[in-house]
Amino acid sequence: MGPKILADETAILLGDNTTAKILDVGSGTGLSGDEILKKGYSCIDAFDSSKPSCEVAQKKGVYDRIFLSKGCPKGSELQLNLDNTYDLIVSAGTFWVTPSYPGVDMFEEMARIVKPGGQILIVVNQEYVQGEWQNWDKLKDLEERGVLKAREVKVVPNYRMNVSISNTNNGNPPNGVAMIYDIL
C-alpha cells in the first residue's frame, strides 16, 4: 500500500507537472518508482543502500539515475552534489523504522537538494513516527531557521494489509501517515 499511497500523494502535489524531477530515497527494488511512473511522472532518480535492490530496480528501467549509498546515511552522509535539483523527494516505508534507518538527521541534506518551493513527502507506518529515538527538535529547528515548513500530518487508514505487522491497532491493519514538508 505504501508505494501506491506515495504515488497518489505525489500526483496531488505535482499535478500535471509530469516533468518534475523526483528523487526516491530508500527506493529499494523500485516499487514506488513503478507506481509514480504509472501516474505519468517520468523524471525519477533513486537512492538506496542495497546494491542488490538497486540492481533489480535498474533492470526494471524505472529510474533515470540510481545512487547507491555506503550504508544507511545520517545527516551530511547523503553526499549528493545536487543542490536545488529536485522538485520532490519521496520515500515510502523507509524513514523512522528503527534507529538505524533514515530519520530527521537527513532532512537538512534533503532540503538542500530540493528546489525552493519543492517538497519532501514521507509515507510510513504511523507507529514508526512514534519511535522515541527521533530528535524531533531538529525538524523544529529547521522550521525556525526557515529551511522547511511541515504540513499537517495526513493519517492513511489500512496502510499495511498484513495485520501481523502491528498489534497496536486492535487487530486491524495499522494506519500510515503522509508527511509533507515544504522547502522554503
Side-chain angles (χ1 to χ4, degrees), residues 149-171:
K149 175 84 174 123
R151 293 190 190 181
E152 185 174 335
V153 174
K154 180 178 181 180
V155 176
V156 181
N158 302 319
Y159 176 70
R160 288 212 175 185
M161 299 314 290
N162 182 352
V163 181
S164 66
I165 300 286
S166 171
N167 291 332
T168 62
N169 201 18
N170 298 321

Side-chain angles (χ1 to χ4, degrees), residues 100-178:
S100 67
Y101 275 65
V104 295
D105 291 335
M106 281 186 64
F107 272 74
E108 189 159 10
E109 281 296 290
M110 290 192 303
R112 177 183 59 78
I113 64 175
V114 173
K115 298 173 188 174
Q119 290 90 22
I120 297 170
L121 167 63
I122 309 292
V123 175
V124 70
N125 185 323
Q126 187 176 28
E127 294 171 15
Y128 298 165
V129 299
Q130 298 164 348
E132 296 176 12
W133 56 84
Q134 294 301 325
N135 181 356
W136 296 103
D137 290 337
K138 289 184 180 185
L139 284 176
K140 290 177 188 171
D141 176 62
L142 292 174
E143 285 193 273
E144 289 171 3
R145 290 179 19 224
V147 174
L148 56 75
K149 175 84 174 123
R151 293 190 190 181
E152 185 174 335
V153 174
K154 180 178 181 180
V155 176
V156 181
N158 302 319
Y159 176 70
R160 288 212 175 185
M161 299 314 290
N162 182 352
V163 181
S164 66
I165 300 286
S166 171
N167 291 332
T168 62
N169 201 18
N170 298 321
N172 297 312
N175 290 328
V177 290

